[in-house]
Amino acid sequence: MNELIAAIKQAQRITFLTGAGVSTHSGIPDYRSKTGLYAGAANPEYLLSHENLTQHPQAFYEFVTKRMYFPAARPNLIHQEIAALCNEKGTLVTQNVDGLDKQAGNQHVIEFHGNLYDLYCQKCGQAVSYEDFAQDYHHQIDGGIIRPHIVLYGESIASEILMKSAQAIANADLLLIVGTSFRVYPFAQLIQYRQAETPIYAINRESIAAPASVRLIQDDALTVFEEIRKGLETC
Ligand SMILES: [Zn+2]
């Protein structure tokens, strides 16, 4: 822990890689846990696919609005602490689509899989508010089908996002993986762009799929970030 706090203090460019374990503390369920987003759904990956959106927009809409949208959720201490560090000297690449990092004021966020609240009509391309989408998935103006700008199964990550993310990893002199088992591709592959000498720490409750050189703090992210906050305050 002390080693990590010292590394954060010393670093000039920190890049964070985060996942669902950061937002569970804001009441947003993890994708794959027993009580998570996918629990009880027969084929969640299909429900969240490009094909389902195209072929069965109603089923897609019901799944995402019931299981993924938590508009009352607010950023927690982890989002806030990461935001403070990013605004000072870092970048965040997050897999989360809940928008909580931006809500926490983070000005250097790459939303790798997009943002649920970034909604648009597929017919005319116009941006649509969440309030309108919550009423109906048809665009009021032209009846077009509204979708969130997130990456669905069967869709690929925009090359601009891939490039920016790879750059953030290459530029970092400290990498911090938080709240992700690091098993989703291509997100987990990003780490290959790091400089050989860049230290990597991971904070996660479970062990993660990452190279042996990663120093894992196997604990709850909220507990660890409370320690980090205290440690940084006393410098
Ligand atoms: Zn439209």
Side-chain angles (χ1 to χ4, degrees):
M1 231 6 261
N2 290 337
E3 189 189 304
L4 171 61
I5 291 167
I8 291 173
K9 284 181 189 170
Q10 268 174 26
Q12 295 186 321
R13 292 174 309 277
I14 309 175
T15 294
F16 294 88
L17 293 158
T18 65
V22 172
S23 290
T24 47
H25 294 288
S26 291
I28 293 176
D30 190 350
Y31 278 37
R32 287 177 175 79
S33 72
K34 271 183 199 158
T35 52
L37 173 65
Y38 289 174
N43 192 352
E45 296 191 355
Y46 181 77
L47 286 166
L48 264 184
S49 69
H50 180 83
E51 194 185 323
N52 191 39
L53 170 68
T54 316
Q55 306 293 322
H56 315 285
Q58 172 85 31
F60 176 86
Y61 178 73
E62 280 170 12
F63 182 73
V64 297
T65 48
K66 275 189 200 137
R67 301 273 194 137
M68 294 183 77
Y69 282 87
F70 296 88
R74 293 294 169 258
N76 61 56
L77 181 135
I78 312 167
H79 297 108
Q80 287 158 1
E81 207 58 24
I82 291 177
L85 284 164
C86 284
N87 291 348
E88 186 194 336
K89 55 177 183 181
T91 305
L92 163 63
V93 186
T94 185
Q95 297 173 83
N96 297 337
V97 291
D98 51 46
L100 290 179
D101 293 293
K102 283 189 174 162
Q103 229 189 90
N106 196 325
Q107 290 161 27
H108 306 281
V109 192
I110 300 169
E111 292 173 319
F112 198 72
H113 292 147
N115 185 325
L116 282 170
Y117 297 90
D118 182 3
L119 293 148
Y120 66 95
C121 167
Q122 295 183 96
K123 196 167 179 181
C124 68
Q126 218 177 82
V128 177
S129 71
Y130 169 70
E131 287 69 29
D132 286 351
F133 181 64
Q135 296 294 318
D136 189 355
Y137 64 92
H138 294 100
H139 193 200
Q140 280 174 358
I141 294 172
D142 55 16
I145 289 170
I146 300 163
R147 68 164 285 178
H149 202 163
I150 58 171
V151 181
L152 302 176
Y153 289 96
E155 295 178 341
S156 46
I157 312 264
S159 56
E160 193 203 335
I161 295 284
L162 283 172
M163 256 166 48
K164 276 193 195 163
S165 305
Q167 224 162 39
I169 310 264
N171 290 338
D173 62 0
L174 176 63
L175 285 169
L176 238 72
I177 299 168
V178 187
T180 170
S181 54
F182 225 55
R183 287 186 171 87
V184 174
Y185 289 86
F187 185 79
Q189 283 166 325
L190 286 172
I191 207 168
Q192 74 192 21
Y193 296 103
R194 73 189 185 279
Q195 305 294 325
E197 68 278 11
T198 301
I200 311 171
Y201 289 85
I203 302 163
N204 199 46
R205 247 196 302 224
E206 287 91 39
S207 65
I208 72 163
S213 59
V214 173
R215 287 162 235 190
L216 175 67
I217 300 174
Q218 195 164 350
D219 201 344
D220 184 77
L222 189 63
T223 314
V224 174
F225 271 84
E226 278 164 355
E227 291 293 312
I228 291 174
R229 172 173 274 187
K230 277 185 221 151
L232 293 179
E233 273 169 359
T234 56
C235 64

